[in-house]
């Protein structure tokens, strides 16, 4: 048909921009392809080429002569492309194809991306005529020539959406593109099933979308998704957070971000002495202590230069200067040292607080302790729905292990940071190098070890195991500071085949204690000059009341905290006797508040929300006996009536509360002393208070009377049972006599105790 134009050729990846990047064969224009398809002169004339960049092809409009058919032209072009395939260089499996356009294509530049699915809408060819809905067989016959179909989805029969439609899924996107451009606007005749008036096909791309399919897949496959998410979280933690945490731990050990360690700040502080309080005034008098303990300081330094993989343990009562001895003296010149205080970790309430306290001690950050509770709930919910443990939440044990492991990594990095490739021992491995150079290892000081260990031992077990790994791996030296004499029981679990190196600190001798107080008094600028200007007197030389110091120190003993308190009070102008009197008075009030007053019938009394394992009678019995004798037999105390039930537990609790000190020999407790030397005069002062002593003795007598009455009741019930027997065998006579004698003895005790109670009540009625 002359003068009639068609647009039959659709070529993939053919546009002006891509022509510069394609191969020589592919750069042939659509016009050249049409002309080359005919060996003789082509029976048509190309009028226009319309590129379709978004779909990767072109429309070619041409005019044919009346003697040539469109079908013959299409056949010749397709045959040529099969014999001379044109393929893009980036994908050799794809080739250019061509088809005749049968419909009326809509050439638009909307942002509609091609897809595998086409939506076919059935429209009437003329107004007023009803369009026919093509069946699946009819749609197949129309669209199959353009490529393989995957599926044909007709409109649901109950759908009222107009116009009627159907979905066609092709095997490839280029097939759907070819079909859309060739059949859009195509009129299906009545012979092909289009109805009396014919049916127009309107084709559009339809994306195969499914709402919330990602969410649905995740929730429908929890056994796969949850472990994958847990693995991703763990991987991110290891890859991102672990190096950051190791960096902060190293900075905490080296004090890289501490202002006090900055050179500029230290220079400024030395120049502006009038603005800053000198720490030397606070530490005055300690030289006398360090002179007395120089042997211990040198011993610790010598142990740190050896390669033995064991613990160093410094044991002594509270206030004996363990931390100052180790950190301020023995480790004064050691650059890499870290002090871990177990007290805030042990006293933290809840797993999150414990984790935060442990992380703060070593500089472990960032720490997400609050996430432990949330992840625990997620883990519980996932386990209840899927039946498997996700691993999101970690126990306190696992979290502490992670903190200690990161700290060990940081310590090892610091130990090896001075190593160079040119060293003579560069061929040694890291472990061999650290074993050969014990002076390179950092020092870990664990303070307040076994503090309140009776409440929860998991923290101390983890610390001991971690310390054992540090020493056996030659990563660091570990020094334990503890006031518990039974430390070997806990540490032997971590290092069962090692002998610990131990230093036991006791209270200072009277001579050293006196030097400490005098040196503390003489510290500072308060030095007076005599009238002639020849001599200068120190504060201790100007005071006339220091002759009392020997007697006062005999009351206080050699505990450093009490001696420092005494020196400060004397420095404020008090006489030594008055200062000691005030210290003893304060200690007495402390004992009253913590152990005696308000604790009668103290089975319901609490300490920080937990029941106290001792009562007033037990504490008062020890106070009375220690006021008379400085040392008590451990087993003799347990034989007393007040300690008849749960006596050892009560004694251990009183030791933890620092009322008493239990001394051991051969691994067993054998004697009891006062918790502090100053407590002895405080005990005597309390027993000398007649009203207080009468009140507490009356409480003890009441408990004793109750115990005797309970014994009498028990014997009487047994006698009543024996009396109810029909016959009295001769064998029961000794038992009956024993019961009667016991009732008589208990009754005599009750009468005696009642008389003593009457005297005590009289004191309470007459005195204030």
């Amino acid at each position: 048909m002359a003068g009639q134009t068609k647009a039959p050729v659709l070529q993939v990846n053919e546009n002006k921009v891509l022509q510069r990047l394609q191969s020589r064969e592919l750069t042939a224009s659509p016009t050249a392809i049409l002309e080359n398809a005919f060996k003789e002169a082509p029976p048509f004339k190309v009028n226009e080429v319309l590129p379709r960049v978004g779909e990767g092809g072109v429309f070619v409009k041409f005019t044919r002569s009346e003697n040539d058919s469109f079908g013959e032209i299409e056949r010749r072009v397709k045959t040529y492309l099969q014999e001379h395939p044109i393929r893009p260089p980036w994908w050799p499996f794809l080739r250019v194809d061509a088809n005749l356009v049968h419909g009326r294509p809509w050439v638009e530049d909307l942002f509609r991306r091609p897809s595998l699915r086409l939506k076919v809408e059935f429209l009437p060819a003329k107004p007023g005529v009803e369009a026919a809905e093509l069946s699946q067989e009819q749609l197949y016959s129309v669209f199959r020539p353009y490529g393989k179909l995957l599926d044909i989805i007709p409109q649901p029969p109950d759908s009222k959406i107009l116009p009627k439609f159907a979905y066609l899924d092709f095997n490839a996107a280029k097939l759907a593109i070819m079909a859309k451009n060739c059949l859009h606007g195509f009129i299906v005749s009545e012979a092909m099933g289009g109805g009396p008036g014919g049916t127009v096909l309107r084709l559009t791309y339809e994306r195969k979308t499914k709402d919330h399919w990602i969410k649905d897949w995740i929730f429908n496959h929890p056994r796969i998704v949850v472990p994958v998410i847990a693995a991703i979280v763990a991987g991110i933690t290891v890859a991102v957070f672990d190096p950051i945490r190791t960096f902060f731990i190293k900075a905490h050990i080296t004090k890289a971000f501490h202002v006090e360690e900055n050179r500029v700040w230290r220079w400024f502080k030395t120049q502006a002495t009038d603005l800053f309080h000198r720490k030397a005034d606070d530490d005055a008098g300690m030289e006398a202590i360090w002179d007395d303990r120089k042997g211990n300081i040198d011993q610790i330094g010598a142990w740190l230069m050896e390669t033995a993989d064991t613990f160093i343990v410094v044991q002594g009562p509270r206030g004996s200067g363990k931390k100052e001895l180790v950190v301020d003296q023995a480790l004064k010149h050691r650059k890499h040292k870290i002090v871990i205080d177990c007290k805030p970790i042990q006293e933290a309430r809840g797993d999150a607080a414990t984790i935060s306290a442990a992380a703060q001690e070593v500089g472990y950050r960032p720490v997400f302790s609050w996430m432990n509770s949330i992840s625990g709930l997620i883990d519980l919910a996932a386990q209840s729905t899927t039946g498997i443990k996700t691993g999101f939440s970690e126990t306190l044990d696992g979290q502490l292990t992670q903190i200690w492991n990161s700290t060990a990594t940081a310590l090892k990095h610091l130990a090896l940071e001075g190593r160079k490739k040119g060293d003579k021992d560069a061929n040694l491995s890291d472990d061999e190098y650290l074993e050969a150079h014990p002076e390179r290892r950092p020092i870990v000081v664990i303070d307040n070890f076994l503090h309140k260990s009776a409440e929860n031992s998991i923290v101390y077990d983890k610390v001991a195991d971690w310390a054992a790994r540090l020493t056996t791996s030659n990563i660091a030296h570990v020094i334990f500071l503890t006031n518990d004499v039974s430390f070997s029981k806990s540490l032997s679990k971590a290092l069962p085949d090692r002998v610990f190196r131990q230093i036991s600190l006791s209270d200072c001798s009277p001579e050293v204690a006196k030097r400490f107080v005098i040196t503390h008094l003489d510290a500072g600028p308060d030095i007076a000059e005599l009238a002639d200007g020849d001599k200068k007197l120190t504060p201790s030389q100007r005071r006339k009341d220091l002759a009392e110091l020997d007697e006062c120190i005999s009351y206080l003993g050699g505990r450093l905290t009490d001696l420092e308190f005494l020196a400060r009070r004397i420095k404020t102008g008090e006489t030594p006797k008055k200062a000691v009197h005030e210290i003893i008075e304060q200690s007495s009030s402390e004992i009253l508040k913590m152990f005696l007053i308000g604790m009668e019938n103290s089975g319901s009394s609490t300490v920080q929300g937990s029941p106290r394992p001792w009562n007033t009678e037990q504490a008062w019995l020890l106070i009375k006996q220690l006021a008379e004798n400085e040392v008590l037999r451990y087993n003799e105390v347990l034989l007393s009536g007040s300690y008849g039930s749960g006596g050892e537990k009560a004694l251990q609790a009183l030791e933890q509360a620092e009322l008493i000190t239990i001394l051991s020999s051969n691994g067993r407790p054998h004697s009891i002393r006062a918790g502090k030397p100053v407590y002895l005069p405080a005990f005597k002062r309390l027993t000398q208070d007649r009203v207080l002593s009468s009140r507490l003795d009356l409480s003890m007598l009441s408990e004793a009377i109750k115990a005797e009455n309970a014994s009498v009741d028990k014997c009487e019930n047994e006698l009543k049972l024996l009396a109810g027997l029909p016959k009295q065998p001769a064998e029961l006579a000794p038992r009956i006599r024993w019961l009667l004698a016991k009732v008589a003895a208990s009754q005599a005790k009750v009468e005696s105790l009642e008389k003593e109670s009457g005297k005590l009540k009289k004191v309470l009625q007459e005195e204030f």
Side-chain angles (χ1 to χ4, degrees):
M1 295 173 61
Q4 192 175 18
T5 60
K6 290 291 184 178
V9 180
L10 186 64
Q11 181 178 350
V12 179
N13 294 320
E14 191 66 40
N15 55 67
K16 295 180 180 179
V17 177
L18 295 179
Q19 283 178 357
R20 300 176 183 177
L21 304 175
Q22 294 169 337
S23 65
R24 181 177 180 182
E25 186 179 13
L26 191 59
T27 54
S29 66
T31 304
I33 293 175
L34 291 178
E35 293 175 349
N36 293 334
F38 295 88
K39 296 180 181 180
E40 64 279 359
F44 57 83
K45 178 183 178 182
V46 176
N47 298 330
E48 186 180 3
V49 177
L50 300 176
R52 299 290 295 158
V53 179
E55 295 175 319
V58 293
F59 285 115
V60 178
K61 292 186 177 182
F62 62 89
T63 304
R64 66 174 178 84
S65 61
E66 296 181 355
N67 297 327
D68 297 311
S69 65
F70 291 113
E72 179 63 20
I73 296 174
E74 180 184 16
R75 185 187 64 79
R76 296 283 295 273
V77 173
K78 293 176 73 70
T79 302
Y80 172 79
L81 291 176
Q82 290 177 356
E83 295 175 352
H84 304 83
I86 301 175
R87 304 179 186 275
W90 60 85
W91 190 245
F93 302 102
L94 186 66
R95 64 183 181 85
V96 176
D97 199 0
N99 278 289
L100 188 67
V101 176
H102 297 283
R104 299 177 61 86
W106 180 24
V107 181
E108 38 79 17
D109 58 353
L110 301 176
F111 190 76
R112 295 180 179 178
R113 312 308 301 173
S115 65
L116 299 177
R117 172 173 288 188
L118 289 179
K119 182 179 182 182
V120 183
E121 294 178 312
F122 309 109
L123 304 175
K126 298 179 182 179
V129 179
E130 185 178 357
E133 183 179 1
L134 274 66
S135 64
Q136 296 186 43
E137 294 82 359
Q138 293 168 340
L139 289 172
Y140 182 84
S141 63
V142 173
F143 286 91
R144 181 60 181 85
Y146 298 95
K148 182 174 177 55
L149 291 167
L150 296 179
D151 196 7
I152 299 176
I153 305 172
Q155 184 178 5
D158 57 346
S159 176
K160 300 184 181 301
I161 298 176
L162 294 176
K164 297 293 185 179
F165 63 89
Y167 291 118
L168 301 177
D169 291 340
F170 283 88
N171 188 37
K174 77 165 194 173
L175 305 179
I177 294 172
M178 185 74 76
K180 174 185 177 297
N181 286 280
C182 292
L183 292 179
H184 181 82
F186 175 66
I187 299 176
V188 182
S189 63
E190 184 177 1
M192 298 176 61
T199 300
V200 179
L201 301 181
R202 184 168 65 187
L203 306 179
T204 54
Y205 296 117
E206 185 75 17
R207 291 194 173 274
K208 298 175 66 175
T209 59
K210 182 180 179 182
D211 294 338
H212 312 295
W213 69 272
I214 297 178
K215 181 190 72 175
D216 294 342
W217 190 90
I218 290 175
F219 282 98
N220 291 333
H221 301 81
R223 292 179 180 270
I224 300 175
V225 173
V226 173
V228 169
I229 294 177
I232 293 174
V233 171
I236 293 174
T237 302
V238 172
V240 178
F241 290 113
D242 278 9
I244 297 175
R245 288 162 175 166
T246 302
F247 168 78
F248 278 111
I249 293 173
K250 291 170 63 177
H252 177 78
I253 298 173
T254 59
K255 297 180 173 57
F257 300 132
H258 289 210
V259 179
E260 294 81 1
E261 300 298 323
N262 187 274
R263 293 182 179 179
V264 177
W265 172 259
R266 284 186 293 179
W267 175 86
F268 178 74
K269 195 172 181 180
T270 57
Q271 300 300 318
T273 54
D274 55 335
L275 298 178
F276 299 97
H277 179 64
R278 297 293 300 273
K279 189 179 179 182
D281 296 344
D282 298 334
D283 295 339
M286 297 303 293
E287 291 80 6
I289 306 298
W290 306 143
D291 291 341
D292 184 55
R293 295 177 176 176
K294 191 175 186 306
N296 294 331
I297 297 172
D298 295 339
Q299 182 64 72
I300 294 175
W303 284 339
L304 294 177
M305 299 302 294
E306 298 178 3
T307 59
D309 49 351
T310 186
F311 298 143
I312 300 174
V313 183
V314 180
Q315 189 273 331
R318 291 185 178 91
S320 57
K322 299 184 294 295
K323 185 175 180 180
E324 293 79 3
L325 173 75
V326 174
V327 179
D328 297 339
Q329 296 300 313
L331 306 180
K332 183 191 304 182
H333 303 294
R334 299 301 288 255
K335 180 180 179 182
H336 296 153
K337 57 180 179 287
I338 180 173
V339 180
I340 300 175
D341 191 354
C342 296
K343 184 176 180 180
I345 303 175
Q346 182 68 7
E347 292 182 348
R349 298 304 178 198
D351 290 354
T354 302
I355 294 168
S356 297
Q360 186 175 2
E361 288 299 316
V362 299
Y364 178 92
R365 60 177 63 89
V367 56
F368 308 109
S369 57
W370 54 273
M371 285 292 295
N372 200 44
S373 301
I374 299 175
S375 58
L377 296 176
I378 296 174
D379 199 0
L380 181 62
Q383 188 174 3
S384 62
T385 55
T386 64
I388 59 174
K389 190 172 181 63
T390 61
F392 276 121
S393 63
E394 293 188 30
T395 61
L396 175 62
D397 187 297
Q399 293 272 15
L400 290 177
T401 300
Q402 186 176 359
I403 293 174
W404 302 139
N405 289 342
S406 298
T407 307
T409 303
L411 290 170
K412 189 171 184 179
H413 290 172
L414 291 174
L416 297 172
E417 70 176 2
R419 192 177 184 187
K420 299 178 181 178
K421 293 182 179 180
D423 295 340
K424 60 180 181 179
D425 51 5
N427 58 333
L428 298 178
S429 64
D430 291 344
D431 293 339
E432 293 173 345
Y433 177 82
L434 292 176
E435 185 176 3
H437 297 275
E439 73 281 357
R440 296 278 189 179
R441 305 178 202 168
I443 294 96
V444 178
V445 180
I446 300 176
D447 192 15
N448 287 316
F449 185 68
L450 297 180
H451 171 75
K452 293 185 178 180
S453 58
E455 297 180 3
N456 186 10
S457 62
I458 183 174
V459 172
Y460 298 117
D461 292 341
K462 299 303 296 181
V463 169
D465 292 340
W466 173 65
R469 291 197 303 271
L470 292 180
T471 55
T472 55
S473 302
N474 298 316
I475 295 176
H477 299 286
V478 181
I479 302 176
F480 285 93
L481 310 180
T482 180
N483 64 299
D484 198 323
V485 295
S486 61
F487 63 86
S488 60
K489 185 185 299 182
S490 177
L491 294 181
S492 295
K493 297 178 183 178
L495 283 179
D497 55 347
R498 299 290 192 278
V499 177
F500 307 133
R501 293 177 168 176
Q502 177 183 352
I503 291 178
S504 296
L505 297 182
S506 58
D507 295 331
C508 299
S509 62
E511 295 79 9
V512 175
K514 184 176 180 180
R515 285 175 54 199
F516 172 81
V517 175
I518 292 176
T519 308
H520 200 285
L521 292 175
D522 291 342
D526 187 16
I527 298 178
E529 187 175 349
L530 293 178
D532 56 5
D534 294 335
K535 296 182 179 179
K536 293 183 178 180
L537 297 180
T538 61
S540 61
Q541 294 172 340
R542 284 184 283 130
R543 298 192 63 124
K544 305 299 182 182
D545 52 5
L546 291 185
E548 307 170 354
L549 204 55
D550 293 333
E551 181 183 359
C552 295
I553 289 177
S554 66
Y555 289 128
L556 292 184
R559 193 65 55 89
L560 290 183
T561 51
D562 296 332
L563 292 174
E564 187 176 2
F565 190 28
L566 171 65
R568 288 183 178 179
R569 295 187 73 98
I570 295 175
K571 203 170 185 178
T572 58
E574 295 182 1
T575 64
K577 283 190 176 180
K578 182 179 179 182
V580 169
H581 176 81
E582 294 295 333
I583 293 174
I584 295 174
E585 189 71 30
Q586 183 177 349
S587 299
S588 302
S589 302
E590 180 183 325
I591 295 170
L592 276 174
K593 181 179 179 181
M594 292 182 60
F595 303 99
L596 301 177
I597 298 299
M599 284 198 58
E600 291 83 359
N601 301 323
S602 59
S604 60
S605 300
T606 60
V607 180
Q608 294 181 352
S610 59
R612 289 183 176 181
W614 75 84
N615 54 39
T616 303
E617 292 76 23
Q618 293 172 332
W620 178 244
L621 177 64
L622 289 175
I623 290 172
K624 282 186 63 177
Q625 293 182 352
L626 287 172
E628 298 174 0
N629 303 294
E630 293 185 5
V631 182
L632 303 178
R633 297 181 182 87
Y634 182 85
N635 294 303
E636 184 180 1
V637 173
L638 290 178
L639 292 176
S640 60
S642 299
Y643 289 90
S645 177
E648 289 197 275
K649 185 178 180 181
L651 288 176
Q652 291 173 1
L654 289 170
E655 183 186 24
Q656 289 290 336
E658 298 186 20
L659 180 68
I660 60 173
T661 298
I662 300 176
L663 304 179
S664 299
S665 176
N666 297 326
R668 65 172 180 83
H670 70 88
S671 60
I672 298 175
R673 290 180 177 270
K676 298 179 180 179
V678 73
Y679 276 0
L680 276 177
F683 290 164
K684 293 178 181 179
R685 179 165 296 186
L686 290 174
T687 55
Q688 291 170 0
D689 187 340
R690 291 193 62 194
V691 175
L692 177 65
S693 180
S694 299
R695 174 184 171 181
L696 296 174
D697 286 343
L698 182 61
S699 177
M700 290 180 59
L701 293 176
S702 299
E703 292 296 323
I705 291 172
K706 287 181 182 179
E708 295 297 332
N709 286 332
S711 177
V712 170
D713 289 341
K714 185 177 180 181
C715 294
E716 288 177 347
N717 290 333
E718 187 173 351
L719 288 170
K720 187 183 296 183
L721 179 64
L722 295 176
L725 296 176
K727 293 182 179 182
Q728 298 292 336
E731 291 80 4
L732 291 178
R735 180 67 179 176
I736 293 173
R737 287 195 298 271
W738 180 83
L739 290 172
L740 292 174
K742 192 169 184 180
V743 169
S746 296
Q747 180 60 31
K749 281 186 179 181
V750 169
E751 292 176 359
S752 175
L753 294 174
E754 289 287 354
K755 289 181 182 179
E756 293 183 21
S757 298
K759 295 178 182 179
L760 296 176
K761 290 179 181 179
K762 187 175 181 181
V763 173
L764 294 177
Q765 291 172 351
E766 294 177 353
E767 298 185 14
F768 290 95

